[in-house]
Amino acid sequence: MATPVERKEDCFVFGYSLPEDGYWLHLDYSFPDIVPLLEELGVEHALQEVLLQENPRPTTMRMGKSLIVILRGINLNPGADPEDMVSVRMFIEPGRIVTIRQRRLMSVQAARDKFEKEGGPENYLDVLETIVGHMGERAAEFVDQVENSLESLELDSAETRGSKIKSELRELKRQILIVRRYLAPQREALEGLVRHFGSVVQDDVEMGFVFRSHADGFIRLIEDLDLMREKIASAQEEMMNRVIEEQNARMYALSIVAAIFLPITFVTGIFGMNVAGLPGTDEPAAFLMVAASMAVVSVGVIVFFRMRGWL
């Protein structure tokens, strides 16, 4: 049975001793004494650079009997943005696993809570699978939240075209793009882990299928994110089409009004010229005659539009 390891270093967050002289150590690489501790654990210098690099992308690397796995989890820390994904770096060798982080990752904490209730991990593969499983669950929770938000916005966008909905759709799309950016290589990292199962990690067929299912789960999440991104694009296009239709309707109405009043404007423009020789200037009934002719022309334009189906 695994037992907790006594904390000795500032960068040492917690750990468990595993059967057959194995162990799981969880470290914080923001402390300055992390490098001496990694050297004491036998981690080569080249691997230290990989483990401690800034803003790493999810990947799986093999060097001899050692395996480096870098994954990113949804940031569920209080007050944090979920798309600000937190990285966890893992150094794996047969019998032992060292996980390293800077910011707190809820998936690792959930794995620790589970082991404290159940008496500790059985082996280092149990640690790895539990962390990956919790990361997949939290990613799925985030995708479900985005999907629920999108459904609500789709209903609202069908009734209104307010700028608030447009900004919320843009923000939702931004979150999807950022999360997808890291979930796609995360799937590849898990597939690489499965490929190295026989050569670095102990040959456990059942556990290999488990990690394959986790990789497939991330594939489904990526597909869901792609589908939601297309839905957002469709909703934005629909809102834009409604705006264009409303603008066209207004322009059409203005064009009809302008066409009706164009002959009247022409007549008033001619009779409004202040020059000699205008007919009817000395005729008392001239105004009524001109007004009647303008009314007849306007009615004629309206009738013409209706005959052509334009009105």
Side-chain angles (χ1 to χ4, degrees):
M1 178 180 296
T3 56
V5 177
E6 182 182 355
R7 178 170 177 167
K8 298 180 180 180
E9 305 288 345
D10 289 338
C11 58
F12 178 28
V13 180
F14 63 83
Y16 285 91
S17 61
L18 302 176
E20 299 180 0
D21 296 329
Y23 57 83
W24 169 31
L25 296 181
H26 187 55
L27 310 178
D28 185 344
Y29 77 85
S30 62
F31 287 90
D33 54 349
I34 182 66
V35 174
L37 180 57
L38 290 177
E39 292 177 351
E40 182 180 342
L41 294 174
V43 181
E44 298 182 10
H45 180 71
L47 297 180
Q48 292 179 24
E49 293 182 351
V50 176
L51 290 171
L52 303 180
Q53 63 179 322
E54 294 290 336
N55 197 28
R57 289 177 61 84
T59 186
T60 296
M61 301 175 57
R62 174 189 172 188
M63 182 177 291
K65 288 294 183 178
S66 302
L67 200 64
I68 296 293
V69 180
I70 299 177
L71 301 176
R72 279 188 174 250
I74 302 296
N75 191 350
L76 298 181
N77 292 318
D81 294 328
E83 69 273 14
D84 182 20
M85 303 184 72
V86 181
S87 64
V88 57
R89 303 101 188 277
M90 307 182 191
F91 172 76
I92 304 172
E93 284 185 341
R96 66 171 180 162
I97 178 172
V98 178
T99 56
I100 305 174
R101 57 83 167 164
Q102 182 180 27
R103 292 178 293 173
R104 186 183 183 193
L105 183 62
M106 299 301 292
S107 297
V108 176
Q109 186 62 40
R112 182 187 185 185
D113 294 341
K114 173 189 173 183
F115 294 142
E116 287 182 352
K117 293 179 180 179
E118 299 179 358
E122 297 180 359
N123 51 48
Y124 71 107
L125 285 182
D126 191 17
V127 175
L128 180 59
E129 191 278 329
T130 303
I131 293 176
V132 172
H134 281 294
M135 294 178 74
E137 291 175 1
R138 279 156 176 75
E141 291 175 4
F142 170 79
V143 173
D144 290 339
Q145 292 175 2
V146 172
E147 187 173 7
N148 293 334
S149 300
L150 179 57
E151 290 178 357
S152 177
L153 289 176
E154 284 180 330
L155 293 176
D156 294 340
S157 65
E159 301 174 357
T160 181
R161 56 177 181 82
S163 58
K164 181 179 179 181
I165 295 180
K166 293 180 182 178
S167 63
E168 289 178 353
L169 285 174
R170 286 194 298 268
E171 175 63 19
L172 210 58
K173 187 175 183 179
R174 184 187 69 84
Q175 292 181 2
I176 290 174
L177 292 174
I178 294 175
V179 172
R180 191 195 183 285
R181 175 190 174 192
Y182 290 108
L183 287 188
Q186 191 129 302
R187 174 203 65 190
E188 299 172 0
L190 292 177
E191 291 177 347
L193 179 62
V194 174
R195 286 195 303 269
H196 293 302
F197 237 74
S199 55
V200 176
V201 184
Q202 68 183 34
D203 193 6
D204 190 325
V205 177
E206 181 179 355
M207 191 63 74
F209 282 116
V210 171
F211 281 104
R212 172 61 66 183
S213 67
H214 287 316
D216 293 339
F218 279 104
I219 293 176
R220 289 190 294 270
L221 293 178
I222 293 171
E223 292 173 349
D224 291 341
L225 290 176
D226 289 339
L227 179 60
M228 285 186 283
R229 185 173 58 177
E230 293 176 1
K231 286 183 178 180
I232 291 176
S234 177
Q236 291 175 326
E237 183 178 356
E238 184 178 351
M239 294 180 68
M240 181 61 67
N241 289 338
R242 286 206 303 269
V243 172
I244 294 175
E245 289 176 359
E246 292 177 3
Q247 290 177 344
N248 290 338
R250 295 191 185 100
M251 293 301 297
Y252 178 76
L254 291 175
S255 299
I256 293 296
V257 172
I260 293 174
F261 283 93
L262 181 62
I264 301 175
T265 304
F266 176 73
V267 173
T268 56
I270 289 180
F271 282 92
M273 292 187 298
N274 191 18
V275 294
L278 287 176
T281 54
D282 298 327
E283 180 64 38
F287 174 76
L288 294 177
M289 295 174 59
V290 173
S293 64
M294 288 191 297
V296 170
V297 172
S298 298
V299 171
V301 172
I302 294 174
V303 172
F304 174 75
F305 283 174
R306 284 189 174 277
M307 291 177 59
R308 297 297 299 268
W310 294 351
L311 186 62

